[in-house]
Amino acid sequence: MPLLGVNIDHVATLRQARRGIYPDPVQAALVCEKAGADSIVAHLREDRRHIQDKDVVRLRQELSIRFNLEMSIAPGVVDLACRVKPLQATLVPERRQELTTEGGLDVAAGFRRLKAACARLKDKGIELSLFIAPDKVQIDKTVELGVGVIELHTGCYALAGTAAARTRELRKIAAMTAYARSLGLVVNAGHGLDYHNTLPVARIPGMHELNIGHSIMAQAVFTGLERAVKEMRALAREQA
Ligand code: PXP
């Protein structure tokens, strides 16, 4: 059974909508920890649209479970990661205008820059993972880079428009999981996984961890909304 990493970015998105102090993503991370999450994922984007530097520092200090910092290799971000030293860093590509991480890293094209960033992060004892498409070339280049963990991008699977396309994407993820495992890599997966499409990915032999954010936070709105309204209603009607 794969482990579950919970991505808390969208709690920070809600906070940043008002530039306020709530909801606190670190408090959310602690709730996820209590609920049985195996790790917490947070993406410190270059534009700081959701997670802020101070969240990263607090996550490192306050979590008992593994903190997996998702990050690009932009120099300022690598500097911060080297200072904070999360247990794990997942390197992702980043484009400013994208709504969310749209693709995997092109390990071959960015090889030299990735190698330099990986060396700095490894030197601080941070376990590295690369977010890549389920593709043989990317897997081979990851091995060449000396990184032992990959996260396979499940976005094409999650967004597949037909059952046939979904099956094709799932088979690709399963085949690349087996290939990467045969080379000794630890294989994780994530992006776009929800309450309807996660099970087939979870059942892939050798799958180590699934990293899921958006669907869990969306579900939390509905599992929590009734209680939230009741609490406010009781407060509004409280007599002085
Ligand atoms: N893994 C990686 C590398 C990601 O970039 C994201 C999105 O931030 C996720 C997992 C989680 O994706 P989702 O929010 O769609 O579950």
Side-chain angles (χ1 to χ4, degrees):
M1 272 200 329
L3 303 175
L4 175 65
V6 180
N7 180 310
I8 52 153
D9 293 349
H10 293 291
V11 178
T13 300
L14 199 54
R15 178 191 62 191
Q16 294 311 110
R18 294 273 174 100
R19 303 274 190 277
I21 57 167
Y22 77 88
D24 176 13
V26 181
Q27 187 186 349
L30 294 171
V31 171
C32 298
E33 178 176 298
K34 199 167 155 206
D38 297 291
S39 68
I40 296 297
V41 185
H43 185 174
L44 183 72
R45 294 189 75 100
E46 240 191 308
D47 63 10
R48 306 299 197 268
R49 71 171 72 153
H50 39 54
I51 294 293
Q52 306 295 305
D53 296 29
K54 63 180 187 306
D55 299 324
V56 173
V57 173
R58 287 181 56 217
L59 285 165
R60 176 70 179 99
Q61 288 168 347
E62 295 184 36
L63 284 173
S64 304
I65 54 176
R66 180 166 33 94
F67 171 34
N68 179 0
L69 177 65
E70 209 184 288
M71 54 180 276
S72 72
I73 55 167
V77 176
V78 175
D79 292 343
L80 183 89
C82 286
R83 273 201 310 281
V84 174
K85 301 194 199 91
L87 258 61
Q88 187 177 359
T90 297
L91 304 185
V92 300
E94 202 173 295
R95 280 189 277 148
R96 256 174 202 265
Q97 300 307 325
E98 67 189 358
L99 288 178
T100 179
T101 315
E102 283 170 355
L105 279 171
D106 188 341
V107 187
F111 197 81
R112 275 190 31 223
R113 286 182 62 228
L114 277 168
K115 195 167 179 158
C118 287
R120 285 190 63 197
L121 294 162
K122 262 190 194 167
D123 192 50
K124 297 291 176 191
I126 301 167
E127 181 180 33
L128 291 176
S129 164
L130 299 190
F131 186 50
I132 58 173
D135 178 275
K136 243 182 182 166
V137 173
Q138 301 300 338
I139 292 170
D140 290 343
K141 282 287 169 189
T142 300
V143 172
E144 201 180 318
L145 203 59
V147 171
V149 184
I150 56 171
E151 180 176 337
L152 295 178
H153 196 311
T154 50
C156 290
Y157 161 75
L159 292 175
T162 63
R166 194 171 312 117
T167 302
R168 205 166 46 241
E169 292 300 331
L170 184 66
R171 286 199 180 130
K172 206 188 288 177
I173 296 165
M176 289 304 108
T177 300
Y179 178 65
R181 295 282 300 127
S182 76
L183 299 176
L185 296 178
V186 171
V187 181
N188 304 325
H191 205 90
L193 297 179
D194 62 25
Y195 290 83
H196 305 288
N197 65 19
T198 295
L199 197 56
V201 180
R203 284 182 172 152
I204 292 174
M207 186 58 71
H208 179 69
E209 183 168 52
L210 301 178
N211 291 321
I212 305 177
H214 189 263
S215 63
I216 293 176
M217 298 311 156
Q219 178 82 344
V221 171
F222 292 107
T223 52
L225 190 56
E226 184 176 337
R227 183 166 153 200
V229 171
K230 282 181 177 161
E231 283 178 6
M232 186 56 83
R233 191 166 182 266
L235 188 73
R237 292 178 179 202
E238 218 172 69
Q239 300 300 317

